[in-house]
């Protein structure tokens, strides 16, 4: 079902089909959020858009609330359409209108949120005039985006409550050491191409695995295939290709030649920060958006959907990553920009300013 969530219409269709399963999960999540603040001092709540009851919890506790998404899909803009919408040439008015679909998609939250407000928090019904970007009193909710402005510059028509902060990277784990087999493989030859699709297994992971192996062998390239907990499965690999379960991206990507992945927000940011050309093969959701961004910035080839992937397409994409003389310098330039950003520091400054103005 998740592979059918390409585009906003596919997402809405899937959400409607899964509503009976989603609502009990929402109810449990909302109660878990409420339990998390019990018996603890709480001065401010920062939440992901899916944790929609956070606004009501903040209202109950009389504390400020800040939304913190990793995708630019909550705040309307005329500069680009809502991710998933093929409207890049439709004009500014249609671009801005497309964000109404985000508001419509939140209807699935309305009944669970209001039930939670009444039964758990003892609050009034959340006004229909209040939206996902406004409190019950209609005051705008600040929105901090953990996105690099080098990848998505802040739209000029955003309100002053919306911010592109820069990516929120974790620092390196000082206790992590690479397995001897991985370190030995990296030292035994030229930098390999990394291929990993995170938890995105797809319907036929064996097919994608075979395509990846054959493409690397056709191009006479070394490779590292990361299987994740639900991704690629690999067996009987040649000596030039190694399978790993996991390695920190901030460590591994500095040691590879290029990266091929599904286009998750975190993996995209990590690959670009390392200055490595990226070939994005999306499954669903926001992944095509990031693939298109990387392509438009010249840091990788045009993305190819997983369900349309073929051996010729994979071979051509990896060949462009490793042999196109223009892509590598662009990726390095983009990486150098991202490495100078302090997304966490910028977010902290905005949070402190907002918290101070609330008091």
């Amino acid at each position: 079902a998740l592979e059918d969530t390409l585009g906003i219409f596919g997402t809405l269709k899937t959400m409607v089909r899964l509503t009976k399963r989603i609502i009990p999960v929402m109810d449990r999540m909302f109660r878990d959020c409420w339990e998390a603040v019990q018996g603890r001092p709480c001065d401010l709540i920062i939440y992901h858009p899916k944790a929609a009851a956070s606004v009501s919890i903040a209202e109950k506790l009389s504390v400020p609330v800040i939304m913190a998404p990793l995708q630019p899909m909550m705040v309307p803009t005329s500069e680009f359409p809502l991710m998933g919408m093929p409207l890049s040439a439709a004009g500014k008015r249609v671009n801005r209108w497309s964000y109404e679909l985000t508001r419509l998609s939140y209807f699935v939250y309305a009944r669970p949120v209001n039930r939670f407000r009444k039964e758990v928090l003892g609050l009034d019904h959340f006004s229909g005039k209040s939206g996902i970007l406004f409190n019950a009193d209609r005051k705008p909710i600040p929105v901090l985006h953990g996105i690099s402005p080098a990848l998505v510059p802040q739209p000029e028509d955003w309100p002053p409550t919306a911010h592109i902060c820069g990516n929120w990277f974790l620092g390196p784990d000082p206790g992590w050491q690479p397995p001897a087999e991985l370190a030995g493989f990296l030292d035994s030859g030229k930098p390999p191409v990394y291929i990993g699709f995170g938890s995105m297994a797809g319907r036929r992971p064996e097919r994608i695995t075979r395509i990846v192996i054959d493409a690397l062998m056709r191009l006479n390239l070394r490779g590292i295939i990361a299987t994740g907990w639900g991704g690629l499965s690999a067996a009987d690999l040649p000596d030039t290709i190694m399978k790993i379960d996991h390695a920190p991206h901030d460590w591994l990507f500095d040691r590879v030649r290029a990266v091929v992945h599904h286009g998750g927000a975190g993996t995209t940011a990590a690959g670009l920060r390392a200055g490595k050309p990226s070939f994005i093969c999306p499954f669903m959701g926001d992944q095509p958006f990031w693939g298109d961004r990387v392509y438009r910035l010249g840091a990788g080839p045009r993305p190819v959907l997983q369900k349309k992937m073929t051996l010729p397409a994979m071979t051509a994409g990896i060949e462009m990553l490793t042999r196109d003389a223009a892509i590598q310098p662009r990726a390095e330039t983009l990486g150098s920009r991202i490495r100078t950003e302090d997304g966490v520091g910028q977010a902290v400054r905005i949070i402190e300013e907002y918290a101070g103005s609330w008091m």
Side-chain angles (χ1 to χ4, degrees), residues 42-125:
C42 180
D43 299 317
L44 180 144
I45 292 176
I46 301 173
Y47 74 102
H48 186 275
K50 291 181 181 177
S54 302
V55 177
S56 300
I57 293 173
E59 180 185 345
K60 179 68 175 180
L61 298 177
S62 298
V63 298
V65 63
I66 294 175
M67 185 191 295
L70 298 177
Q71 296 86 11
M73 62 182 297
M74 310 306 296
V75 185
T77 177
S78 62
E79 294 187 13
F80 50 83
L82 177 67
M83 58 179 58
M85 297 295 294
L87 302 173
S88 57
K92 292 186 174 182
R93 182 174 297 179
V94 176
N95 282 350
R96 190 172 186 87
W97 173 86
S98 68
Y99 290 83
E100 282 294 301
L101 295 173
T102 298
R103 185 180 63 83
L104 292 174
S105 71
Y106 263 67
F107 281 162
V108 71
Y109 287 90
R111 185 173 295 178
V113 166
N114 279 307
R115 181 167 57 245
F116 174 76
R117 286 174 65 89
K118 178 182 178 181
E119 296 178 359
V120 178
L121 303 181
L123 296 175
D124 293 335
H125 189 277

Side-chain angles (χ1 to χ4, degrees), residues 162-181:
H163 309 269
I164 296 286
C165 299
N167 292 118
W168 299 328
F169 293 111
L170 292 173
D173 180 357
W176 188 84
Q177 293 293 326
E181 185 181 6

